């Protein structure tokens, strides 16, 4: 069909003195235009006539009066809004229904605002700060203690243990000795520097020594066998007049009978049982 601007392109009736609408350079009377091209309103399902405002969002259409919050019915025209499952909501209603609550201040995190998420909880960006220095944490490394977040420098300053040997922070693992924390790599013999985490050691002046070093440096020597007396494992030893013996070495110099718990005599530096000393 063909027509001039003075006739409706569809019904060919004259448009002189009548309202009309243009579409792709063709003129249509109002009735034909609405019948052919009007979009149905998502709210009331009625056509949005050409003399009404057609508000569109993601391919859907509403009358101006129908474009309102599905929960509180307030108009959304020229106001911020959010959509959930194709239902329109004002920002307040959307926040009440769906927005996260800030773990710190317990207030709603409004749609469109930046939020931080950590361990299943959400924060306002301005609330996600170090508990000690109050500086924003953002995506920096952090440590949590008692439900509070700390940047690493503040956590180390406030809570971290410092190695008794090197005085540096112990970030993981470590060894406790005499109620003092040590790095595993710092827990070494004070004499030969051998690592002690997997072997026996002896304490002297709050520092650990391997058995060999302690024996060489500090252990008393047995008068009989001349070997160090370390008393490791609860071994018994006998002390008499500033001399020491292993329990198994405290024997009569003549008959070799054990003198542990027995009377004995001394003769020219030797120890003798009563019988041998009286002979």
């Amino acid at each position: 069909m063909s027509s001039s601007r003075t006739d409706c392109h569809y019904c060919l009736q004259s448009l002189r003195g009548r309202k009309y609408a243009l579409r792709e350079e063709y003129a249509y009377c109002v009735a034909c235009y609405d019948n052919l091209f009007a979009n149905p309103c998502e709210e009331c399902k009625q056509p949005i006539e050409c003399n009404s405002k057609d508000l569109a969002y993601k391919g859907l259409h509403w009358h101006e009066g129908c474009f309102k919050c599905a929960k509180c019915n307030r108009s959304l025209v020229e106001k911020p809004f959010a959509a959930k499952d194709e239902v329109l909501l004002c920002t307040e209603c959307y926040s009440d229904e769906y927005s996260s609550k800030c773990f710190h201040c317990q207030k709603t995190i409004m749609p469109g605002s930046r939020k931080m998420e950590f361990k299943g909880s959400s924060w306002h960006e301005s609330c996600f700060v170090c508990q000690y220095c109050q500086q924003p944490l953002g995506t920096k490394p952090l440590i949590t203690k008692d439900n509070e977040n700390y940047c690493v420098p503040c956590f180390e300053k406030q809570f971290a243990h410092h190695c008794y040997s090197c005085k540096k922070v112990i970030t993981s693992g470590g060894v406790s000795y005499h109620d003092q924390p040590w790095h595993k790599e710092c827990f070494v013999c004070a004499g030969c520097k051998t690592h002690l985490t997997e072997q026996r050691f002896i304490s002297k002046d709050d520092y650990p020594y391997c058995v060999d070093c302690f024996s060489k440096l500090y252990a008393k020597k047995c008068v009989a066998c001349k070997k160090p007396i370390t008393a490791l494992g609860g071994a018994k030893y006998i002390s008499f007049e500033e001399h020491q013996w292993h329990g198994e070495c405290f024997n009569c110099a003549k008959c070799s009978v054990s003198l542990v718990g027995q009377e004995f005599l001394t003769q020219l530096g030797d120890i003798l049982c009563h019988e041998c000393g009286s002979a």
Side-chain angles (χ1 to χ4, degrees):
M1 289 186 291
S2 63
S3 72
S4 67
R5 283 286 180 89
T6 58
D7 298 327
C8 172
H9 182 65
Y10 187 75
C11 69
L12 301 181
Q13 292 186 24
S14 174
L15 297 176
R16 287 192 178 94
R18 300 170 63 192
K19 291 183 178 180
Y20 65 90
L22 292 175
R23 184 179 177 89
E24 297 178 357
E25 299 185 359
Y26 292 107
Y28 296 86
C29 66
V30 171
C32 287
Y33 184 91
D34 289 342
N35 185 54
L36 293 172
F37 305 116
N39 295 305
C41 174
E42 284 296 310
E43 177 65 21
C44 69
K45 310 305 180 186
Q46 298 299 312
I48 303 173
E49 300 169 336
C50 64
N51 59 354
S52 301
K53 280 189 177 180
D54 185 338
L55 302 181
Y57 174 71
K58 289 190 175 181
L60 303 177
H61 301 263
W62 288 262
H63 289 105
E64 184 177 18
C66 294
F67 195 64
K68 55 190 178 181
C69 174
K71 185 176 180 183
C72 69
N73 287 323
R74 286 184 293 183
S75 174
L76 298 177
V77 177
E78 296 182 357
K79 293 181 180 178
F81 63 89
K84 180 71 174 178
D85 300 328
E86 299 184 356
V87 174
L88 302 183
L89 297 167
C90 64
T91 53
E92 291 82 359
C93 290
Y94 182 89
S95 298
D96 291 341
E97 290 288 320
Y98 304 109
S99 291
S100 304
K101 294 288 192 298
C102 176
F103 184 85
H104 178 73
C105 69
Q106 295 304 306
K107 294 181 180 179
T108 299
I109 301 175
M110 299 297 288
S113 61
R114 189 175 181 186
K115 70 177 180 179
M116 309 303 294
E117 294 186 346
F118 178 65
K119 290 187 176 180
S121 297
S122 301
W123 282 262
H124 292 109
E125 186 177 21
S126 58
C127 291
F128 195 60
V129 298
C130 171
Q131 178 66 18
Y132 185 73
C133 69
Q134 296 299 306
Q135 294 300 306
L137 289 169
T139 57
K140 298 176 184 176
L142 60 93
I143 300 173
T144 300
K145 179 177 174 62
D146 299 330
N147 289 328
E148 298 289 357
N149 300 318
Y150 298 84
C151 64
V152 173
C154 285
F155 182 86
E156 292 180 349
K157 187 185 298 182
Q158 290 294 105
F159 305 109
H161 295 297
H162 290 75
C163 177
Y164 185 77
S165 176
C166 71
K167 311 306 179 186
K168 295 180 180 178
V169 171
I170 300 174
T171 56
S172 63
V175 175
S176 179
Y177 172 65
H178 279 196
D179 296 325
Q180 298 291 348
W182 301 60
H183 290 114
K184 284 186 177 180
E185 59 272 21
C186 293
F187 193 62
V188 298
C189 171
C192 67
K193 307 304 180 185
T194 302
H195 286 282
L196 298 175
T197 52
E198 301 296 332
Q199 60 175 295
R200 294 188 299 174
F201 58 88
I202 302 171
S203 175
K204 172 74 173 173
D205 299 328
D206 289 333
Y207 284 94
Y209 292 82
C210 67
V211 175
D212 289 343
C213 284
F214 183 86
S215 298
K216 291 175 184 177
L217 294 172
Y218 302 110
K220 304 289 185 181
K221 298 294 191 297
C222 175
V223 174
C225 71
K226 309 305 181 186
K227 294 181 180 179
I229 300 174
T230 62
L232 278 176
K236 293 181 179 180
Y237 70 97
I238 291 86
S239 180
F240 176 70
E241 292 184 350
E242 298 183 357
H243 297 294
Q244 288 80 30
W245 291 260
H246 291 109
E248 62 272 20
C249 295
F250 194 63
N251 303 321
C252 175
K254 288 187 176 180
C255 69
S256 298
V257 67
S258 175
L259 297 178
V260 177
Q262 305 297 319
E263 293 182 357
F264 63 89
L265 303 173
T266 61
Q267 189 178 79
L268 300 178
D270 292 329
I271 54 173
L272 303 170
C273 66
H274 193 271
E275 289 78 4
C276 292
S278 301

